Amino acid sequence: MATENIQKLVLIKPVNEAVPEQSSYAPRPTGLEGKRLGLLDNSKNNADRFLEMVTKILDEQYGFRNIVRHRKPSASKPVAPEVIEEWTQICDLAIVGVGD
């Protein structure tokens, strides 16, 4: 049997190897009173309602100095790097709201 007319089949493995990144946790705040809070809404249904309920309870108990809100355009997209950069300067802590 002649093999010169048989096309060669090339298999590609479409998998990347995981590359772990170095990271560390931010230090925990010593308390919540007078802190600056960031609220990140992931844009799923009811995430905004969840964040408002949690914020109301915490603000009544601790009295935040400032509350900053941001809503992602889509739950499947990460938050914009410029939002993270800004929040590192203007927020002491953040709460991420996941809806559904």
Side-chain angles (χ1 to χ4, degrees):
M1 174 199 268
T3 59
E4 63 269 356
N5 290 335
I6 298 176
Q7 290 185 339
K8 189 176 186 180
L9 180 62
V10 178
L11 297 177
I12 299 171
K13 184 178 178 183
V15 177
N16 289 332
E17 296 295 324
V19 179
E21 292 188 26
Q22 294 287 34
S23 64
S24 61
Y25 291 110
R28 289 179 170 248
T30 55
L32 297 179
E33 188 172 334
K35 298 293 184 193
R36 303 166 300 171
L37 174 66
L39 299 176
L40 179 60
D41 179 339
N42 75 343
S43 78
K44 285 190 169 188
N45 291 333
N46 298 316
D48 56 343
R49 293 179 62 212
F50 167 74
L51 285 171
E52 285 305 317
M53 289 188 305
V54 169
T55 301
K56 182 179 179 191
I57 293 168
L58 291 175
D59 197 26
E60 287 173 357
Q61 290 179 8
Y62 300 104
F64 295 118
R65 179 170 24 144
N66 190 28
I67 300 173
V68 179
R69 292 170 173 78
H70 179 77
R71 181 176 172 91
K72 293 186 348 174
S74 169
S76 64
K77 296 186 182 206
V79 66
E82 49 277 5
V83 173
I84 295 173
E85 182 62 33
E86 178 186 7
W87 281 24
T88 60
Q89 303 301 315
I90 65 171
C91 297
D92 298 306
L93 64 138
I95 298 174
V96 179
V98 179
D100 278 349

